[in-house]
Amino acid sequence: MTWDWSAVRAFMPHFWDGLLVTLQALVLGSLISFSLGLVWTLLMRTPSRWVRWPVGVVTEFVRNTPLLVQLFFLFYVLPEWGLTFSALTTGVFAIGLHYSTYTMQVYRAGIEAVPVGQWEAATALSLPARRTWFAVILPQALRRVVPPLGNYVISMLKDTPILMSITVLDMLGEARLFSQQHFQFTEPVTVIGVAFIVISYLASLLLRTLERRLVR
């Protein structure tokens, strides 16, 4: 087996298209996951069991079913109910929803790690609940959750190839299509493998930098 640089050059335009789709899915999926995970956490801390119970059922169901099943449901079943979205939109939402049930647990742990004295101080100062959360509790909790949230960013990156199952041409999708058309498999698959390693490494560096800034 010999390495064919001409195949690499021919694949690169397809690679850049796939890279853009992969990064879109990663960034938007992460934003949905982080935002929705925080919403789940706050809802689970409300006094009303009529709020906690349905939120708990939904998050447990999502966390304990495979991402692939959720993708198929959103992409193939929802249109039968009149809800149709593009493949990329569906994939981004599915990744964000799925991982929000994990980031929810990260936020919960971060909030519970805030010293009890902070809650007592806010109560002693008669701070409103909204200000207690957003000025006292959440800023301290968020500093603690950056490392585990960063791990889930890497996990989401590694799960983006599953979007190929609903016709999204991410990096792997482009590599597969190119390989089938040109009968060249080694070069495109190797290129995207290296790309995943580089992106994961750069993301980890960025997250470590952010963590150091928040700890100051």
Side-chain angles (χ1 to χ4, degrees):
M1 182 184 67
T2 58
W3 183 264
D4 188 351
W5 285 105
S6 64
V8 175
R9 289 192 294 271
F11 172 64
M12 290 311 294
H14 304 277
F15 166 77
W16 295 119
D17 291 339
L19 176 63
L20 178 60
V21 172
T22 296
L23 293 178
Q24 284 180 317
L26 175 63
V27 173
L28 296 177
S30 297
L31 291 176
I32 293 174
S33 172
F34 296 160
S35 302
L36 196 54
L38 182 58
V39 171
W40 295 141
T41 304
L42 296 179
L43 289 177
M44 287 297 291
R45 295 184 67 89
T46 59
S48 174
R49 65 177 181 177
W50 298 108
V51 174
R52 296 196 309 271
W53 185 81
V55 170
V57 170
V58 169
T59 54
E60 283 296 322
F61 176 80
V62 173
R63 185 165 56 245
N64 290 289
T65 53
L67 175 57
L68 183 60
V69 173
Q70 295 165 18
L71 273 172
F72 278 16
F73 180 85
L74 294 174
F75 191 67
Y76 294 109
V77 177
L78 286 188
E80 296 183 4
W81 297 349
L83 298 173
T84 303
F85 304 97
S86 69
L88 180 58
T89 300
T90 301
V92 166
F93 179 74
I95 288 178
L97 174 64
H98 185 78
Y99 276 94
S100 70
T101 61
Y102 293 95
T103 59
M104 164 190 171
Q105 300 300 326
V106 174
Y107 286 126
R108 179 188 59 78
I111 290 171
E112 291 179 352
V114 175
V116 177
Q118 298 295 312
W119 295 92
E120 294 174 345
T123 302
L125 293 172
S126 300
L127 294 181
R130 182 183 180 87
R131 189 174 180 188
T132 297
W133 275 106
F134 290 97
V136 179
I137 304 302
L138 288 181
Q140 297 182 65
L142 291 177
R143 294 190 185 99
R144 293 174 166 86
V145 302
V146 169
L149 288 181
N151 292 334
Y152 283 120
V153 171
I154 304 302
S155 296
M156 279 185 271
L157 171 64
K158 291 187 290 186
D159 271 348
T160 53
I162 204 172
L163 301 186
M164 184 176 61
S165 63
I166 58 169
T167 73
V168 175
L169 289 179
D170 68 322
M171 288 194 293
L172 182 59
E174 291 284 1
R176 181 183 180 186
L177 183 62
F178 179 88
S179 299
Q180 291 174 340
Q181 291 175 343
H182 298 83
F183 302 101
Q184 296 277 359
F185 292 89
T186 302
E187 291 80 8
V189 173
T190 302
V191 168
I192 66 166
V194 172
F196 272 110
I197 294 172
V198 171
I199 297 171
S200 297
Y201 179 70
L202 293 177
S204 65
L205 288 180
L206 178 62
L207 290 165
R208 282 201 291 269
T209 301
L210 178 61
E211 180 184 358
R212 285 196 295 268
R213 289 182 177 274
L214 289 174
V215 169
R216 290 178 183 175

